[in-house]
Amino acid sequence: MRVLLAPDSYGGTLSAAEAASAMAAGWASAAPSDELDLAPLSDGGPGLVEVLAAALPSAVRHVITVEDPLARPVEAAFLMHGTTAYVEAAAACGIHLLEQSERDPEVTTTYGVGQLVAAALDRGAGRIVVGLGGSATNDGGAGLLAALGVQRLDAAGERLPPGGAALRSLDRLEGAPDPRLAAVELVAATDVDSPLLGLYGASATFGPQKGASREAVARLDAALTRWADVLEPHLGVSVRDLPGAGAAGGLGAALLALGARREPGIERVQRLVGLEERIAAADLVVTGEGAFDPTSLTGKVVSGVSALAAAHAVPCVVLAGSVSIGRREAAAAGIEASYSLIDTVGRERALGEPATALAELAARVARQWSR
C-alpha cells in the first residue's frame, strides 16, 4: 500500500518535516510493508523555506540577520531558486519568536520582513514570493515599508515608533519604496482572504491570537484605518477592501500597495513539490496540522490536500493536535476521518512529547487503514 504523508507544521511544536518523519516512524512500526512518501507542506506560513528547500534541491538558502517582532536581532533565511526568491514572513515576524509574555501586537513590527525583501533584491531577484502567516504583528506592513524606504511621520515631523498602535498618530508618509521593486514581480502567498479593517479584518480576526485584548483590538483597528487613509494616496493603491489585505496583521495590505499579486500559498507549494502527481500515485493520503478547525477548510494545507485527494478519488485522513470539526463538515471537504492527538494521548503528552505522541497516533491509524 502506498501512503502519502503530507502534513503542515503543528502549531510551534513540530515543523512540517518533523511531523512527516514522526508519522512515518509510527506508520512503519505498525505497517512495515507499506510504501511511504513524505511530503511536508506549508501554506505560506511557518516552514515555507524549509519545505521548498527540500523540494527544490538547486535552490540556494541565504541566512541573514534581521529584526525580530521586537526589533531584536534574529537569523532568518530566504530561498533563491533561479531569480525567484521565497521569503517566509514568519522567519522575521513570527509569533514563535516571542515568549508568551512578550506577545503584544500593538508594538510588534514587520521591519525584518522588509529586510528580507531588500536582501532578495540585493541578490538580483526578479520575482519575490512572500509567504504570509504565523505573524506576531498587526502593523499593516508599516515596518516592511520602512525597511524599503517609506517612513512614518507624526504631525511634528518625527518618525513614529514601531508597532501598530503608533499608527494612530500617523500624519504623513515620506519617501518612495525601493526603486528596484518596480522591475520585480511581487507575490503575496496567503491562506486567508481577510480585508484589512472591520469585523473580519486583521485586528478583529487575528489580534486576539497574538495577545490583543478587546480594547487593544479596537485601538488597532482604528490605527489601521488611519494607516489606510494615509497609505493609499501615498502609493496610489486602494487596498483596505482587497482580499488578503488583512493577512499577517495587515502585511498583505502593504504588499498589495506595492503592486503584489495575491495567490493561495498552498497552491504554489503544491505545484513546486509535485503534490498532485504524488497523490494520484497513492492509495491513501494522510495530512495534519496543529488544530483541525473550521479555518482549516479555507485555503490551508489540509483543505488543499483533501481537495486534490478527492479529485483523484484517494481517501484522505487527518491527524491533528486537536479536532473541532464535525464528521459531516469534514466529509464534505473530502476527509474520510480525523484523529485528535490530544484526545488520544492527552494534552500534556501531545505538547510535551509531540513527535513521540504523533508517531503513536500514526501507528494506531495505520493499523486501522493499512491493508
Side-chain angles (χ1 to χ4, degrees), residues 42-94:
S42 169
D43 51 28
L48 176 69
V49 166
E50 180 186 28
V51 165
L52 293 184
L56 303 170
S58 63
V60 179
R61 187 172 178 267
H62 298 276
V63 179
I64 65 171
T65 300
V66 301
E67 292 189 8
D68 81 351
L70 293 177
R72 303 170 300 198
V74 65
E75 287 194 342
F78 67 97
L79 205 64
M80 289 293 299
H81 184 233
T83 59
T84 298
Y86 293 96
V87 169
E88 180 184 319
C93 72

Coordinates of all heavy atoms in Angstrom, one line a residue, residues 42-94:
S42 N 3.6 23.5 3.4 CA 3.3 24.8 4.0 C 2.3 25.6 3.1 O 2.3 25.4 1.9 CB 4.6 25.7 4.1 OG 4.3 27.0 4.5
D43 N 1.5 26.4 3.8 CA 0.6 27.2 3.0 C 1.1 28.7 2.9 O 0.4 29.6 2.5 CB -0.8 27.3 3.6 CG -0.8 27.6 5.1 OD1 0.1 28.3 5.5 OD2 -1.7 27.1 5.9
G44 N 2.4 28.9 3.2 CA 3.0 30.2 3.1 C 3.4 30.7 4.5 O 4.2 31.6 4.6
G45 N 2.9 30.0 5.5 CA 3.2 30.4 6.9 C 4.6 29.7 7.3 O 5.4 29.4 6.5
P46 N 4.7 29.5 8.6 CA 6.0 28.9 9.1 C 6.3 27.6 8.4 O 5.5 26.8 8.2 CB 5.6 28.7 10.6 CG 4.6 29.7 11.0 CD 3.8 29.8 9.7
G47 N 7.6 27.5 8.1 CA 8.1 26.3 7.4 C 8.2 26.4 5.9 O 8.7 25.5 5.3
L48 N 7.8 27.5 5.3 CA 7.8 27.6 3.9 C 9.2 27.4 3.3 O 9.3 26.6 2.3 CB 7.3 29.0 3.5 CG 7.3 29.3 2.0 CD1 6.3 28.4 1.2 CD2 7.0 30.8 1.7
V49 N 10.2 28.1 3.8 CA 11.5 28.0 3.3 C 12.1 26.6 3.5 O 12.7 26.0 2.5 CB 12.5 29.0 3.9 CG1 13.9 28.7 3.7 CG2 12.1 30.4 3.4
E50 N 11.8 25.9 4.6 CA 12.3 24.6 4.8 C 11.7 23.6 3.9 O 12.3 22.7 3.3 CB 12.0 24.2 6.3 CG 12.4 22.7 6.6 CD 12.0 22.3 8.0 OE1 11.0 22.8 8.5 OE2 12.7 21.4 8.6
V51 N 10.4 23.7 3.7 CA 9.6 22.8 2.8 C 10.1 23.0 1.3 O 10.4 22.0 0.6 CB 8.1 23.1 2.8 CG1 7.4 22.5 1.7 CG2 7.6 22.6 4.2
L52 N 10.3 24.2 0.9 CA 10.7 24.4 -0.5 C 12.2 24.1 -0.7 O 12.6 23.6 -1.8 CB 10.4 25.9 -0.9 CG 8.9 26.2 -1.0 CD1 8.8 27.7 -1.5 CD2 8.2 25.2 -1.9
A53 N 13.0 24.3 0.3 CA 14.4 23.9 0.2 C 14.6 22.4 -0.1 O 15.4 22.0 -0.8 CB 15.2 24.4 1.4
A54 N 13.7 21.6 0.6 CA 13.8 20.2 0.4 C 13.2 19.8 -0.9 O 13.7 18.8 -1.6 CB 13.0 19.5 1.5
A55 N 12.3 20.5 -1.5 CA 11.6 20.2 -2.7 C 12.4 20.7 -3.9 O 12.2 20.2 -5.1 CB 10.2 20.8 -2.8
L56 N 13.3 21.7 -3.7 CA 14.0 22.4 -4.8 C 15.5 22.2 -4.5 O 16.1 23.2 -4.0 CB 13.6 23.8 -5.0 CG 12.1 24.1 -5.2 CD1 11.8 25.6 -5.0 CD2 11.6 23.6 -6.5
P57 N 16.1 21.1 -4.9 CA 17.5 20.9 -4.5 C 18.5 21.9 -5.1 O 19.6 22.1 -4.6 CB 17.8 19.5 -5.0 CG 16.7 19.1 -5.9 CD 15.5 19.9 -5.5
S58 N 18.1 22.5 -6.2 CA 19.0 23.5 -6.8 C 18.9 24.9 -6.2 O 19.7 25.8 -6.5 CB 18.8 23.6 -8.3 OG 17.4 24.1 -8.6
A59 N 17.9 25.1 -5.3 CA 17.7 26.4 -4.7 C 18.8 26.7 -3.6 O 19.4 25.7 -3.1 CB 16.4 26.4 -4.0
V60 N 19.1 28.0 -3.5 CA 20.2 28.4 -2.5 C 19.5 29.1 -1.3 O 18.7 30.0 -1.5 CB 21.2 29.3 -3.2 CG1 22.2 29.8 -2.2 CG2 21.8 28.6 -4.4
R61 N 19.9 28.6 -0.1 CA 19.3 29.2 1.1 C 20.3 30.2 1.6 O 21.5 30.0 1.8 CB 19.2 28.1 2.1 CG 18.5 28.4 3.4 CD 18.2 27.2 4.2 NE 17.5 27.4 5.5 CZ 18.2 27.6 6.6 NH1 19.5 27.6 6.6 NH2 17.6 27.9 7.7
H62 N 19.8 31.4 1.8 CA 20.6 32.5 2.4 C 20.1 32.9 3.8 O 18.9 33.0 4.0 CB 20.4 33.8 1.5 CG 20.9 33.6 0.1 ND1 22.2 33.7 -0.3 CD2 20.2 33.3 -1.1 CE1 22.4 33.5 -1.6 NE2 21.2 33.2 -2.1
V63 N 21.0 33.0 4.7 CA 20.7 33.4 6.1 C 21.3 34.7 6.4 O 22.5 35.0 6.2 CB 21.2 32.3 7.1 CG1 20.9 32.7 8.5 CG2 20.7 30.9 6.7
I64 N 20.4 35.7 6.8 CA 20.9 37.0 7.2 C 20.3 37.3 8.6 O 19.4 36.7 9.1 CB 20.5 38.1 6.2 CG1 18.9 38.2 6.2 CG2 21.0 37.7 4.8 CD1 18.4 39.4 5.4
T65 N 20.9 38.4 9.2 CA 20.4 38.9 10.5 C 19.4 40.0 10.2 O 19.7 41.0 9.5 CB 21.5 39.4 11.4 OG1 22.4 38.3 11.6 CG2 21.0 39.9 12.7
V66 N 18.2 39.9 10.8 CA 17.2 40.9 10.6 C 16.6 41.2 12.0 O 17.0 40.6 13.0 CB 16.1 40.4 9.7 CG1 16.6 40.1 8.3 CG2 15.3 39.2 10.3
E67 N 15.7 42.1 12.0 CA 15.0 42.5 13.3 C 13.8 41.5 13.5 O 13.0 41.3 12.6 CB 14.5 43.9 13.3 CG 15.6 44.9 13.3 CD 15.1 46.3 13.5 OE1 13.9 46.5 13.8 OE2 16.0 47.3 13.4
D68 N 13.6 41.0 14.7 CA 12.5 40.2 15.0 C 11.3 41.1 15.4 O 11.4 42.3 15.2 CB 12.9 39.2 16.2 CG 12.8 39.8 17.6 OD1 12.6 41.0 17.7 OD2 12.9 39.0 18.5
P69 N 10.2 40.5 15.8 CA 9.0 41.4 16.0 C 9.2 42.5 17.1 O 8.5 43.5 17.1 CB 7.9 40.4 16.5 CG 8.4 39.1 16.0 CD 9.8 39.1 16.0
L70 N 10.2 42.4 17.9 CA 10.5 43.4 18.9 C 11.8 44.1 18.6 O 12.5 44.7 19.5 CB 10.5 42.8 20.3 CG 9.2 42.2 20.8 CD1 9.3 41.6 22.2 CD2 8.1 43.4 20.9
A71 N 12.2 44.1 17.4 CA 13.4 44.8 16.9 C 14.7 44.3 17.5 O 15.7 45.0 17.5 CB 13.3 46.3 17.1
R72 N 14.7 43.0 17.9 CA 16.0 42.4 18.3 C 16.6 41.6 17.2 O 15.9 41.1 16.3 CB 15.7 41.4 19.5 CG 15.0 42.1 20.7 CD 14.5 41.1 21.7 NE 13.6 40.1 21.2 CZ 12.7 39.4 21.9 NH1 12.8 39.5 23.2 NH2 11.9 38.6 21.4
P73 N 17.9 41.4 17.1 CA 18.5 40.6 16.0 C 18.1 39.2 16.0 O 18.1 38.5 17.1 CB 20.0 40.8 16.2 CG 20.1 41.2 17.7 CD 18.9 41.9 18.1
V74 N 17.8 38.6 14.9 CA 17.5 37.2 14.7 C 17.9 36.8 13.4 O 17.9 37.5 12.4 CB 15.9 37.0 14.9 CG1 15.1 37.6 13.8 CG2 15.6 35.5 15.0
E75 N 18.4 35.5 13.3 CA 18.8 35.0 12.0 C 17.5 34.5 11.2 O 16.7 33.8 11.8 CB 19.8 33.9 12.1 CG 21.2 34.4 12.5 CD 22.2 33.3 12.3 OE1 21.9 32.1 12.3 OE2 23.4 33.7 12.3
A76 N 17.4 34.8 10.0 CA 16.3 34.4 9.2 C 16.8 34.0 7.8 O 17.7 34.6 7.3 CB 15.2 35.5 9.1
A77 N 16.1 33.0 7.2 CA 16.5 32.5 5.9 C 15.5 32.9 4.8 O 14.3 33.0 5.1 CB 16.7 31.0 6.0
F78 N 16.0 33.1 3.6 CA 15.1 33.1 2.5 C 15.8 32.2 1.4 O 17.0 31.9 1.5 CB 14.9 34.5 2.0 CG 16.1 35.2 1.4 CD1 16.4 35.3 0.0 CD2 17.0 35.9 2.2 CE1 17.5 35.9 -0.5 CE2 18.1 36.6 1.8 CZ 18.3 36.6 0.4
L79 N 15.0 31.9 0.4 CA 15.5 30.9 -0.6 C 15.5 31.6 -2.0 O 14.6 32.3 -2.4 CB 14.5 29.7 -0.7 CG 15.0 28.4 -1.2 CD1 16.0 27.8 -0.2 CD2 13.8 27.4 -1.2
M80 N 16.6 31.3 -2.8 CA 16.7 31.8 -4.1 C 16.6 30.5 -5.0 O 17.5 29.6 -4.9 CB 17.9 32.5 -4.4 CG 18.0 33.9 -3.7 SD 16.8 35.1 -4.4 CE 17.4 35.2 -6.1
H81 N 15.6 30.5 -5.9 CA 15.5 29.4 -6.9 C 15.6 30.1 -8.3 O 14.5 30.6 -8.7 CB 14.3 28.6 -6.7 CG 14.1 27.4 -7.6 ND1 13.0 27.2 -8.4 CD2 15.0 26.4 -7.9 CE1 13.2 26.1 -9.1 NE2 14.4 25.6 -8.8
G82 N 16.7 30.1 -8.9 CA 16.9 30.9 -10.1 C 16.8 32.4 -9.7 O 17.5 32.8 -8.8
T83 N 15.9 33.1 -10.4 CA 15.7 34.5 -10.0 C 14.4 34.7 -9.1 O 14.0 35.9 -8.9 CB 15.6 35.4 -11.2 OG1 14.5 35.0 -12.0 CG2 16.9 35.3 -12.1
T84 N 13.9 33.6 -8.6 CA 12.7 33.7 -7.7 C 13.2 33.6 -6.3 O 13.9 32.6 -6.0 CB 11.7 32.6 -8.1 OG1 11.2 32.8 -9.4 CG2 10.5 32.7 -7.1
A85 N 12.8 34.5 -5.5 CA 13.1 34.5 -4.1 C 11.8 34.1 -3.3 O 10.7 34.6 -3.6 CB 13.6 35.8 -3.6
Y86 N 12.0 33.2 -2.3 CA 10.9 32.8 -1.4 C 11.2 33.4 0.0 O 12.2 33.0 0.6 CB 10.7 31.3 -1.4 CG 10.3 30.8 -2.7 CD1 11.2 30.3 -3.7 CD2 8.9 30.8 -3.1 CE1 10.7 29.8 -4.9 CE2 8.5 30.4 -4.3 CZ 9.4 29.9 -5.2 OH 8.9 29.4 -6.4
V87 N 10.4 34.3 0.5 CA 10.6 34.9 1.7 C 9.5 34.4 2.7 O 8.3 34.5 2.3 CB 10.5 36.4 1.6 CG1 10.4 37.1 3.0 CG2 11.7 36.9 0.8
E88 N 9.8 33.9 3.8 CA 8.9 33.5 4.8 C 8.7 34.6 5.9 O 9.6 34.8 6.7 CB 9.4 32.2 5.5 CG 8.5 31.6 6.5 CD 9.2 30.4 7.1 OE1 9.8 29.6 6.4 OE2 9.1 30.2 8.4
A89 N 7.6 35.3 5.9 CA 7.4 36.4 6.8 C 7.6 36.0 8.2 O 8.2 36.7 9.0 CB 6.0 37.0 6.6
A90 N 7.1 34.8 8.6 CA 7.2 34.3 10.0 C 8.7 34.2 10.4 O 8.9 34.2 11.6 CB 6.5 33.0 10.1
A91 N 9.6 34.0 9.5 CA 11.0 33.9 9.9 C 11.5 35.1 10.6 O 12.4 35.1 11.4 CB 11.9 33.6 8.7
A92 N 10.9 36.3 10.2 CA 11.3 37.6 10.8 C 10.3 38.1 11.8 O 10.7 38.7 12.8 CB 11.5 38.6 9.7
C93 N 9.0 37.9 11.6 CA 8.0 38.5 12.5 C 7.0 37.4 13.1 O 5.9 37.7 13.4 CB 7.2 39.6 11.8 SG 6.1 39.0 10.5
G94 N 7.5 36.2 13.1 CA 6.6 35.1 13.6 C 6.3 35.1 15.1 O 7.2 35.5 15.9

